[in-house]
């Protein structure tokens, strides 16, 4: 925002230099990004008169002019078609820097004639749009004065940058309040008297709010018999100084009042408002509406609109409509001043891609108690500048009064947080200087009523920040000694680092995986695939980032899609992140009603191996991802987990998936991503994922490492092949072998699975290699045979298996 120092001095008295003011505002949290000194910007520009004009002998479109600034006469070669003798013009002399085309004036020959300056147009001076030539000033304008003096632009402009929480300072009045508090002085306020005439406003206008949540307050006045004309020079020059283009007296006043006190307003042509009625409501989906910038917009049923009895006439808090704008023919005006809910304006502004001065302020929050004051001031100014008459009375629809917040500030708490000893009396003095009202006081602290324009102050720590800010951060000496005993308390489990995080990262990175870190937010359509009851953000950056993700799988697939589009054909990725879920408030969670779940998602897609001469290319398959999951669990020394068939459908996975189970609790899945989900993310190749609920995994106690002496005695191996029904799982047979193999059985491996020729239909053969050994002796054949026979009998009985010869 551009801040006029001359305007600021009209609101608060101060004698700071420009440099001191710059430092003071920056210290108060109002960063000054740039300084524009108009007296320097328009240095060497003067008001002058064209004494004579002759045609250039060598150029049909050029004129040779004699120009006088009252002290000196200069020859100027001019190409403007409207230049003529007797005109009062703006002259740029040698050394002047012309801001529009950005060049410096110097003596130079133009087609053989020396030119000693330049006659300027409005756009070359960045003072408006040219009308086909040079800027011709009114007759009687004093010759010889500087352009800055003529425009009353001997002003310095600060380009200030405000953080989103400083909504109270998006106006000259807001900055003046902060400066006055720091200097311990008062802001000067002026209320223009209202001269109400004619019939009551109720005869020509009524207002109805149908959505009080999005619009808690709506006020309006009617001004009749106006004559729309240009604003006076003082108003136009003030707006030009802060980067605004003057339009007409009515519109210029609304901009002036907005930049002075921070309240956006809008003026409608009363005669274009059907039914003499304003209705504040949402409209149907896909309603078409043309805004003031002449662009047709498509609305949805969440956007708040200002409507008349038949049609929308403005987007609430964002931009007016072409169908009700103020024109030269307007004679009666409705002046609107309202309070719109920030989240509603923010959503609408983002969706329609409109960033207006009004939406910029409403999005951050305006003073709901200033709505009427701003309306009255603007109405009085418009009536004065247009010759209009303010109708008797005002409409102020305010169904649910917004109460001021009250917050307790504890003196000792403030001292501890800031880190220095500030007296109680000084803390109280500073808060009163900032217009916080003391409701009550005791030895512990003060109960303060928050001014309505301080929408950023919601808790005690915000008040403490105000104390530190007004005390001046430069006066707070840093103290790096810690007063916290970090050994006294344990970090809450929910905030501590997961125990397996480093091991997981090390193992996967060492096995060729790349870690990704993605956003926790996602779009509603994608979130619906994984869950129903979402965690919705109150103030999202946009609809595509409005839901806290219910699964990290969504982020993984989005990343895979991006990689595929840029040509990556082999991907091995993993992410350790959080998903977010709503839960019953009775369920004990770190944040009541919400569960943050730690998840690990591992994904593979494309080719199994890089292209090489010694191995044929193949795509990844289920066994690749299962092997990764088994290897990781082995590395973490987690036992007791079983891979089991899915008994119910899981949104992200196809039927080619197994659940990872600890007793009866599912702690993960390993398998192929479903076709439906791949289609949603525009992925055509097979994708395999291992997903782990790390909250559950972290609860499992890993096996302690121990040393087992290497047996110096040879072992013995037996190979057994069983013919069983196709439905029998190889893992079930393996478990039976381990249970019946006795203490001598060291390991079991599956080395062959066969179906087809020489086997009965519906049967399959599974072959296992059993290794026996003892740590203290060489085994006898009789011991191995006895253990092997016990295994065979158990398998035959349990699975009706046949030993294959």
């Amino acid at each position: 925002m551009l801040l006029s120092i001359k305007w600021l001095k009209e609101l608060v008295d101060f004698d700071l230099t420009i440099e001191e003011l710059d430092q003071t505002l920056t210290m108060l949290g109002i960063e000054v990004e740039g300084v524009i000194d108009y007296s320097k910007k328009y240095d060497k520009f003067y008001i002058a008169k064209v004494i004579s004009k002759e045609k250039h002998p060598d150029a049909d479109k050029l004129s040779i002019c004699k120009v006088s600034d009252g002290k000196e006469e200069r020859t100027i070669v001019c190409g403007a078609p409207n230049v003529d003798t007797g005109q009062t013009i703006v002259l740029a002399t040698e050394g002047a820097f012309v801001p529009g085309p950005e060049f410096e004036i110097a003596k130079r020959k133009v087609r053989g004639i020396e030119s000693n300056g330049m006659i300027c147009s409005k756009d070359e001076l960045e003072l408006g749009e040219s009308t086909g030539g040079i800027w011709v000033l009114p007759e009687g304008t004093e010759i010889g004065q500087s352009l800055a003096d003529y425009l009353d632009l001997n002003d310095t402009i600060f380009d200030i940058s405000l953080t989103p929480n400083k909504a109270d300072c998006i106006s000259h009045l807001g900055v003046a309040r902060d400066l006055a508090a720091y200097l311990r002085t008062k802001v000067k306020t002026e209320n223009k008297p209202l001269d109400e005439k004619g019939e009551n406003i109720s005869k020509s206008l009524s207002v109805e709010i149908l959505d009080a949540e999005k619009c808690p307050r709506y006020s309006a006045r009617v001004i009749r018999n106006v004559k729309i004309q240009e604003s006076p020079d003082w108003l136009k020059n003030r707006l030009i100084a802060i980067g605004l283009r003057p339009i007409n007296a009515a519109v210029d006043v609304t901009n002036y009042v907005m930049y002075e006190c921070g309240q956006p307003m809008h003026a409608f042509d009363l005669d274009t408002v059907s039914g003499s009625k304003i209705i504040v409501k949402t409209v149907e989906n896909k309603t078409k509406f043309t805004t003031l910038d002449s662009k047709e917009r498509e609305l949805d049923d969440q956007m708040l609109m200002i409507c008349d009895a038949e049609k929308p006439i403005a987007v609430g808090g964002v931009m007016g409509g072409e169908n009700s704008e103020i024109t030269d023919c307007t004679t009666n005006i409705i002046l609107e001043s309202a309070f719109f809910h920030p989240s509603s304006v923010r959503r609408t502004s983002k969706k329609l891609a409109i960033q207006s001065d009004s939406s910029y302020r409403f999005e951050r929050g305006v003073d709901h108690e200033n709505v009427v004051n701003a309306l009255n001031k603007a109405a009085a100014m418009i009536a004065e500048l247009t010759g209009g008459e303010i109708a008797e009375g005002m409409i102020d629809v305010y169904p649910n009064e917004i109460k001021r917040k009250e917050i307790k500030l504890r003196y000792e708490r403030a001292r501890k947080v800031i880190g220095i000893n500030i007296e109680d009396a000084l803390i109280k003095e500073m808060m009163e200087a900032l217009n916080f009202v003391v409701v009550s006081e005791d030895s512990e602290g003060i109960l303060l009523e928050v001014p309505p324009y301080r929408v950023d102050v919601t808790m005690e720590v915000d008040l403490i920040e105000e104390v530190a800010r007004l005390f001046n951060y430069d006066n707070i000496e840093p103290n790096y000694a810690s007063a916290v005993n970090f050994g006294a308390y344990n970090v809450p489990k929910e905030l501590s680092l997961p125990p397996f995080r480093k091991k997981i990262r090390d193992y996967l990175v060492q096995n060729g995986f790349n870690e990704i870190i993605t956003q926790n937010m996602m779009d509603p359509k994608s979130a619906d695939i994984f869950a129903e009851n979402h965690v919705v953000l109150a103030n999202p950056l946009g609809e595509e980032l409005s839901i806290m993700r219910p699964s990290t799988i969504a982020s993984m697939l989005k990343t895979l899609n991006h990689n595929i589009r840029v040509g990556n054909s082999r991907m091995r990725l993993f992410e350790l992140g959080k998903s977010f879920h709503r839960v019953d408030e009775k369920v004990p969670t770190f944040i009541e009603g919400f569960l943050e779940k730690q998840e690990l998602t591992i994904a593979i897609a494309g080719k199994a191996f890089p292209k090489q001469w010694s191995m044929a290319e193949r795509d990844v398959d289920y066994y690749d991802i299962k092997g990764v999951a088994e290897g990781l669990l082995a590395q973490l020394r987690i036992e007791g987990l079983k891979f089991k068939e899915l008994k119910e459908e899981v949104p992200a996975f196809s039927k080619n998936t197994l659940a990872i189970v600890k007793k009866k609790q599912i702690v993960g899945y390993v398998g192929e991503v479903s076709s439906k989900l791949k289609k949603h993310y525009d992925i055509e190749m097979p994708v395999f994922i291992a997903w782990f609920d790390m909250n559950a995994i972290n609860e499992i106690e890993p096996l302690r490492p121990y040393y087992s002496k290497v047996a110096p005695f040879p072992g013995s191996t037996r190979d057994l092949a069983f013919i069983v029904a196709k439905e029998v799982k190889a893992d079930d047979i393996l478990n039976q072998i381990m249970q019946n193999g006795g203490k001598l059985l060291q390991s079991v491996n599956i080395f062959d699975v066969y179906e087809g020729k020489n086997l009965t239909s519906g049967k399959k053969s599974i072959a296992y290699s059993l290794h026996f050994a003892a740590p203290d002796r060489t085994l006898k054949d009789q011991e191995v045979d006895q253990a092997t026979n016990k295994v065979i009998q158990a398998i035959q009985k349990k699975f009706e298996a046949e030993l294959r010869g």
Side-chain angles (χ1 to χ4, degrees):
M1 186 185 89
L2 296 182
L3 181 78
S4 163
I5 305 308
K6 181 181 286 187
W7 197 344
L8 190 63
K9 285 185 174 181
E10 292 174 7
L11 297 170
V12 60
D13 290 324
F14 62 91
D15 57 3
L16 301 172
T17 65
I18 294 300
E19 292 73 20
E20 289 170 340
L21 182 61
D22 182 342
Q23 292 173 2
T24 301
L25 293 182
T26 300
M27 184 279 301
L28 288 170
I30 305 168
E31 183 182 356
V32 179
E33 290 192 331
V35 179
I36 304 167
D37 187 340
Y38 274 106
S39 62
K40 292 180 180 177
K41 180 176 181 177
Y42 294 122
D43 185 29
K44 296 184 173 63
F45 288 87
Y46 300 97
I47 308 302
K49 196 174 190 70
V50 180
I51 305 300
S52 65
K53 168 194 168 186
E54 297 177 3
K55 185 179 178 182
H56 195 292
D58 296 326
D60 292 338
K61 294 184 179 181
L62 296 179
S63 302
I64 302 171
C65 301
K66 295 291 185 181
V67 176
S68 172
D69 62 3
K71 296 179 181 178
E72 184 181 349
E73 193 173 290
R74 293 177 173 82
T75 300
I76 308 291
V77 178
C78 181
N82 66 328
V83 66
D84 206 352
T85 302
Q87 290 175 336
T88 304
I89 48 84
V90 177
L91 172 67
T93 61
E94 186 178 356
F97 184 81
V98 185
E102 295 188 342
F103 64 82
E104 187 175 319
I105 298 295
K107 290 182 181 180
R108 64 190 183 98
K109 287 189 176 182
V110 180
R111 295 288 184 95
I113 304 296
E114 187 177 83
S115 182
N116 297 290
M118 174 180 172
I119 303 174
C120 301
S121 64
K122 273 191 174 183
D123 59 353
E124 289 167 338
L125 295 168
E126 293 185 342
L127 292 173
E129 296 179 2
S130 296
T131 55
I134 61 168
W135 184 14
V136 181
L137 303 179
E139 289 186 16
T141 303
E142 182 185 344
I143 305 301
Q145 63 179 316
S146 71
L147 177 61
D149 284 337
Y150 168 71
L151 295 175
D152 192 24
L153 281 179
N154 282 313
D155 194 4
T156 301
I157 305 297
F158 279 2
D159 185 359
I160 63 173
S161 175
L162 298 167
T163 51
N165 64 306
K166 291 298 291 176
D168 61 300
C169 287
I170 313 178
S171 67
H172 285 74
L173 177 61
V175 176
R177 279 190 297 240
D178 259 14
L179 187 59
Y182 181 72
L183 299 174
R184 301 297 196 277
T185 185
K186 295 292 182 182
V187 172
K188 295 181 285 185
T189 57
E190 175 192 4
N191 293 320
K192 278 192 168 289
L194 281 175
D195 183 15
E196 298 178 335
K197 297 179 180 179
E199 62 181 12
N200 192 278
I201 189 173
S202 61
K203 301 290 185 181
S204 53
L205 183 68
S206 64
V207 174
E208 183 180 7
I209 299 177
L210 297 184
D211 194 332
E213 182 181 349
K214 291 184 174 69
C215 178
R217 188 174 193 179
Y218 192 97
S219 304
R221 279 193 176 275
V222 168
I223 308 166
R224 300 189 183 96
N225 303 319
V226 301
K227 183 179 180 181
I228 300 301
Q229 54 194 357
E230 280 191 19
S231 298
D233 287 342
W234 73 265
L235 179 54
K236 288 194 291 186
N237 293 338
R238 179 145 290 184
L239 296 179
I240 289 169
I242 57 172
L244 298 181
R245 180 173 63 89
I247 299 172
N248 57 54
V251 176
D252 291 350
V253 166
T254 62
N255 284 329
Y256 175 87
V257 174
M258 177 176 65
Y259 270 81
E260 179 171 87
C261 68
Q263 174 62 42
M265 280 176 286
H266 189 70
F268 301 98
D269 186 329
L270 173 60
D271 298 322
T272 65
V273 176
S274 301
S276 298
K277 186 172 186 177
I278 295 289
I279 306 171
V280 186
K281 64 177 183 177
T282 55
V283 294
E284 294 181 357
N285 269 325
K286 298 187 177 179
T287 298
K288 304 292 185 182
F289 180 69
T290 303
T291 46
L292 281 172
D293 55 4
S294 299
K295 293 181 181 178
E296 186 178 72
R297 317 271 180 178
E298 184 174 281
L299 311 174
D300 66 33
D301 59 5
Q302 296 299 308
M303 295 178 181
L304 188 71
M305 301 296 294
I306 312 302
C307 306
D308 61 19
E310 298 176 356
K311 62 188 179 298
I313 57 175
V315 184
V318 179
M319 186 175 283
E322 235 181 18
N323 56 5
S324 61
E325 69 176 317
I326 301 297
T327 67
D328 292 344
C329 300
T330 299
T331 56
N332 300 302
I333 290 174
I334 299 172
L335 188 60
E336 164 200 280
S337 181
F339 175 73
F340 299 108
H341 198 281
S343 63
S344 170
V345 177
R346 187 180 303 113
R347 179 191 178 278
T348 301
S349 175
K350 298 286 184 188
K351 194 81 181 284
L352 296 180
I354 301 175
Q355 177 69 73
S356 64
D357 282 341
S358 292
S359 67
Y360 180 76
R361 286 159 176 80
F362 279 124
E363 284 177 19
R364 286 154 177 78
V366 301
D367 180 359
H368 54 84
E369 292 186 11
N370 190 41
V371 169
V372 171
N373 293 335
L375 175 67
N376 289 338
K377 177 164 186 173
M381 289 183 67
I382 291 174
E384 180 184 336
L385 298 180
T386 63
E389 299 174 346
I390 303 171
E392 183 182 288
M394 174 190 68
I395 294 174
D396 183 21
V397 183
Y398 195 11
N400 303 307
E401 185 179 350
I402 302 171
K403 302 293 183 182
R404 291 193 180 191
K405 297 187 288 287
E406 292 184 357
I407 305 173
K408 179 73 175 286
L409 174 61
R410 294 167 291 173
Y411 296 132
E412 193 58 35
R413 176 65 177 162
R415 285 188 279 268
K416 282 186 176 180
V417 172
I418 298 172
I420 58 173
N421 187 29
I422 305 176
E423 293 181 0
D424 297 355
L426 181 55
I427 292 176
K428 180 182 176 182
E429 177 193 318
M430 288 189 287
M431 298 314 294
E432 288 180 321
L434 286 164
N435 297 322
F436 288 84
V437 178
V438 178
V439 177
S440 62
E441 182 179 8
D442 55 32
S443 58
E444 184 183 324
I446 45 178
L447 180 64
L448 296 169
E449 183 182 77
V450 180
Y453 53 83
R454 292 307 304 269
V455 295
D456 58 311
V457 178
T458 59
M459 58 186 74
E460 184 184 30
V461 72
D462 297 326
L463 297 175
I464 295 172
E465 182 181 2
E466 292 302 295
V467 173
R469 192 168 66 92
L470 213 59
F471 187 77
N472 192 332
Y473 290 114
D474 292 340
N475 294 331
I476 302 173
E477 294 184 8
N479 182 359
Y480 300 106
S482 174
V484 179
N485 181 0
F486 290 99
Y489 304 98
N490 291 325
V491 177
K493 183 177 66 176
E494 291 82 0
L495 300 180
S496 60
L497 285 174
F500 293 124
R501 178 182 291 267
K502 185 177 186 305
K503 286 186 177 180
I504 290 171
R505 281 178 167 155
D506 290 346
Y507 177 80
L508 291 172
V509 169
Q510 289 164 10
N511 280 273
F513 284 82
N514 289 308
E515 182 178 10
I516 63 171
I517 299 174
T518 59
Q519 286 181 316
N520 288 329
M521 293 86 76
M522 63 187 300
D523 63 284
K525 189 175 179 181
S526 299
D528 287 341
I529 299 173
F530 297 91
E532 294 180 354
N533 192 14
H534 305 310
V535 178
V536 182
L537 290 174
N539 300 308
L541 296 173
E543 187 176 17
E544 69 281 2
L545 295 173
S546 62
I547 305 294
M548 297 301 289
R549 64 181 179 191
S551 174
T552 53
I553 293 176
S555 305
M556 177 62 72
L557 293 174
K558 189 174 181 180
T559 304
L560 288 171
N561 166 269
H562 174 76
N563 277 270
I564 291 168
R565 284 190 289 108
V566 298
N568 291 338
S569 60
R570 180 175 181 267
M571 286 161 286
R572 298 166 71 83
L573 307 175
F574 76 95
E575 179 174 20
L576 274 162
K578 286 184 177 181
S579 63
F580 302 83
H581 312 267
R582 285 189 177 274
V583 294
D584 193 303
E585 292 183 358
K586 295 179 182 178
V587 177
T589 55
F590 190 64
I591 301 175
E592 189 177 278
F594 299 95
L595 172 64
E596 294 185 12
K597 185 185 289 185
Q598 288 278 351
E599 296 183 0
L600 168 63
T601 301
I602 307 170
I604 58 174
K607 298 300 179 184
F609 309 103
K611 187 179 288 187
Q612 54 182 296
W613 65 271
S614 62
M615 190 177 296
E617 278 193 325
R618 69 171 179 85
D619 292 330
V620 294
D621 58 25
Y622 168 80
Y623 297 103
D624 290 312
I625 194 65
K626 184 170 183 283
V628 172
E630 289 175 329
L632 176 61
L633 293 173
Q635 179 69 18
L636 300 178
R637 297 193 299 277
I638 295 176
E639 289 194 346
L641 299 182
K642 296 185 180 297
F643 291 84
K644 292 194 173 182
E645 280 187 286
L646 294 178
K647 293 184 179 180
E648 56 186 27
E649 187 176 333
V650 180
F653 292 94
S654 69
K655 292 182 179 179
N656 188 22
T657 301
L658 292 179
I660 305 171
V661 179
K662 172 70 173 178
K663 294 182 180 178
K664 293 185 178 181
Q665 180 188 5
I666 295 178
V667 299
Y669 298 99
V670 57
E672 186 175 5
V673 175
S674 68
S675 299
K676 178 182 177 182
L677 192 56
K678 287 194 297 181
K679 184 177 180 181
H680 177 79
Y681 284 96
D682 195 22
I683 298 173
E684 295 181 359
M685 65 171 62
V687 176
F688 296 89
I689 282 180
W691 174 89
F692 295 93
D693 176 355
M694 293 308 298
N695 285 23
I697 294 292
N698 289 330
E699 295 294 330
I700 301 173
E701 187 70 27
L703 291 175
R704 287 181 172 275
Y706 62 90
Y707 172 73
S708 180
K709 182 181 178 182
V710 177
F713 304 98
S716 181
T717 300
R718 295 287 190 273
D719 294 339
L720 301 175
F722 296 101
I723 299 173
V724 294
K726 279 187 177 181
E727 295 76 23
V728 176
K729 299 181 182 60
D731 194 51
D732 291 341
I733 297 175
L734 188 145
N735 289 334
Q736 282 294 314
I737 293 173
M738 294 298 296
Q739 289 176 22
N740 292 278
K743 294 181 179 180
L744 298 178
L745 180 61
Q746 301 298 305
S747 64
V748 182
N749 291 307
I750 301 173
F751 68 87
D752 183 56
V753 178
Y754 174 74
E755 294 180 40
K757 191 176 179 181
N758 299 327
L759 287 182
T760 307
S761 178
K763 298 285 187 177
K764 64 181 177 183
S765 170
I766 309 175
Y768 298 85
S769 179
L770 287 65
H771 183 72
F772 298 89
D776 56 351
R777 68 187 189 281
T778 300
L779 293 179
K780 296 178 181 178
D781 288 343
Q782 183 180 359
E783 292 177 289
V784 177
D785 291 341
Q786 185 177 355
T788 302
N789 289 334
K790 185 178 178 181
V791 167
I792 293 170
Q793 291 171 11
I795 300 303
Q796 288 175 334
K797 182 178 180 181
K798 177 77 174 176
F799 302 103
E800 297 181 357
E802 177 186 344
L803 186 65
R804 188 178 179 189

